[in-house]
Amino acid sequence: MRKYTNNSPEAGARIVALALMCDGAIDRSEVLLLERQNVLARLGLDNERFDLIYYEYCTDMLSCAQRTASGQLELDKHRIKALLGEISDPVLQEKILRIMLDIVHADHHLTAGEVTLIAQTLECWGMDLCEMTWSSVPRHCQSSETTIGNGTAVSISGGKHYAATG
């Protein structure tokens, strides 16, 4: 995958593109969210620049990703970590994580891919949802377990976030 300058609008936009596509397709509710929350401007980009970054992301996916049994393209954990590693500024990390959370919640349906991406992001950036000052997720983060998408169990307990697939 191509490299962008660390903490650049392009690096942030590519992570937004990753969040948009981690469930296999962009949902209309996600596009509306981008517009309603003025996400591109918050990242320092216009529509044309984001479209180019998104196109480059898709091109890179075709050359770097692995195809699953269902035909969906997936990046391995190493490549996702490399993309996330291009954002090192804690303030920018928090901003992008909030955008990612809004994107994955936009259609009111969490998939295993979305949960996995958020978990990888939290781990890579050393963040904890329960310690964020404001978020799409309730601050109190009581222990709970819920089922998402295809029956994947997600447990949130004591500030730790787990996703069990299968």
Side-chain angles (χ1 to χ4, degrees), residues 51-91:
D51 288 347
L52 177 61
I53 293 163
Y54 183 79
Y55 175 80
E56 291 172 346
Y57 169 76
C58 291
T59 302
D60 289 347
M61 284 287 290
L62 290 170
S63 65
C64 297
Q66 298 171 353
R67 191 168 302 277
T68 65
S70 66
Q72 187 173 347
L73 293 174
E74 282 186 356
L75 289 176
D76 60 37
K77 289 182 181 187
H78 174 74
R79 284 201 168 99
I80 292 173
K81 186 175 181 178
L83 298 181
L84 293 169
E86 290 184 349
I87 305 296
S88 58
D89 174 45
V91 173

Side-chain angles (χ1 to χ4, degrees), residues 6 11 28 33 38 62 65 69 82 88 93 107 123 130 146 154 164:
N6 284 359
R28 178 160 168 69
L33 176 122
N38 206 19
L62 290 170
S88 58
Q93 288 174 339
D107 62 1
E123 181 181 336
C130 295
T146 187
V154 177

Side-chain angles (χ1 to χ4, degrees), residues 4-25:
Y4 292 115
T5 303
N6 284 359
N7 301 313
S8 67
E10 293 80 9
R14 179 167 51 191
I15 294 171
V16 169
L18 176 62
L20 288 167
M21 292 298 294
C22 71
D23 62 356

Side-chain angles (χ1 to χ4, degrees), residues 8-154:
S8 67
E10 293 80 9
R14 179 167 51 191
I15 294 171
V16 169
L18 176 62
L20 288 167
M21 292 298 294
C22 71
D23 62 356
I26 297 178
D27 189 81
R28 178 160 168 69
S29 62
E30 295 167 344
V31 173
L32 293 173
L33 176 122
L34 293 179
E35 293 170 1
R36 189 174 55 251
Q37 292 190 3
N38 206 19
V39 168
L40 302 184
R42 288 173 38 211
L43 290 173
L45 298 169
D46 59 22
N47 288 337
E48 292 77 25
R49 184 70 181 137
F50 180 77
D51 288 347
L52 177 61
I53 293 163
Y54 183 79
Y55 175 80
E56 291 172 346
Y57 169 76
C58 291
T59 302
D60 289 347
M61 284 287 290
L62 290 170
S63 65
C64 297
Q66 298 171 353
R67 191 168 302 277
T68 65
S70 66
Q72 187 173 347
L73 293 174
E74 282 186 356
L75 289 176
D76 60 37
K77 289 182 181 187
H78 174 74
R79 284 201 168 99
I80 292 173
K81 186 175 181 178
L83 298 181
L84 293 169
E86 290 184 349
I87 305 296
S88 58
D89 174 45
V91 173
L92 186 56
Q93 288 174 339
E94 191 169 320
K95 178 196 285 189
I96 292 171
L97 177 60
R98 291 181 200 292
I99 292 168
M100 292 170 71
L101 289 168
D102 289 339
I103 288 168
V104 302
H105 288 116
D107 62 1
H108 305 287
H109 177 80
L110 287 175
T111 65
E114 291 169 332
V115 171
T116 300
L117 177 61
I118 296 300
Q120 280 185 268
T121 303
L122 291 169
E123 181 181 336
C124 183
W125 290 346
M127 299 174 83
D128 186 327
L129 288 178
C130 295
E131 294 177 1
M132 295 176 76
T133 55
W134 62 273
S135 173
S136 304
V137 176
R139 282 184 73 192
H140 54 277
C141 285
Q142 298 175 353
S143 296
S144 65
E145 183 166 303
T146 187
T147 302
I148 60 166
N150 61 358
T152 300
V154 177

